[in-house]
Amino acid sequence: MKYPIDGACQCGAVSYRLLKAPSMVVACHCKACQKLSTSAFSITAMVDIKDIEFKGEMAEWSRPADSGNISAARFCKTCGNRLYHFNPDEPEKIKLKPSNLSDTSIINPTAHVWVSEKQAWYQIPDGVKVFDKQP
């Protein structure tokens, strides 16, 4: 994979450039991520904030996480497309939603989390780490 990789929300009002490979890519099966993705799970790429550049205005939303931390999200003010999540107590790390990259070949989860809430019909591939909840 050659970096940087560009990405953008659905309408293009927010764009970004991923400068370096994510530290990991995870599939989350929690009920909140199922609602977010309107699918069986949501894909997240763990990225250091110094390795990504954003352009455009984003809105923010947050909720308490089961851990007691805050799960905050930034999204396009125009189309509502979610760009990333973050913990305000750890602003140097973000959880990028990589499905809006121009090259989605990095989307290959090496771990599946919250499988205790997984849809019964989805079969997790062999060879990936599996966690009942958040590791």
Side-chain angles (χ1 to χ4, degrees), residues 61-108:
W61 174 81
S62 65
R63 67 173 174 81
D66 288 345
S67 65
N69 294 325
I70 298 296
S71 178
R74 295 229 168 107
F75 56 93
C76 175
K77 293 172 100 172
T78 304
C79 68
N81 194 207
R82 191 85 52 107
L83 281 297
Y84 68 93
H85 289 194
F86 67 102
N87 176 348
D89 290 336
E90 296 177 346
E92 69 282 356
K93 298 187 181 294
I94 67 169
K95 300 167 188 161
L96 182 69
K97 296 305 188 184
S99 296
N100 48 33
L101 284 165
S102 60
D103 180 351
T104 57
S105 64
I106 70 161
I107 302 175
N108 185 16

Side-chain angles (χ1 to χ4, degrees), residues 36-50:
L36 164 67
S37 67
T38 69
S39 188
F41 54 87
S42 178
I43 302 294
T44 299
M46 308 306 182
V47 175
D48 287 336
I49 194 70
K50 66 179 177 38

Side-chain angles (χ1 to χ4, degrees), residues 1 16 18-19 25 41 45 48 59 65 73-74 76-77 92 105 116 124-125 134-135:
M1 172 61 54
Y16 64 91
L18 181 59
L19 306 174
V25 178
F41 54 87
D48 287 336
R74 295 229 168 107
C76 175
K77 293 172 100 172
E92 69 282 356
S105 64
S116 59
I124 294 174
Q134 193 71 26

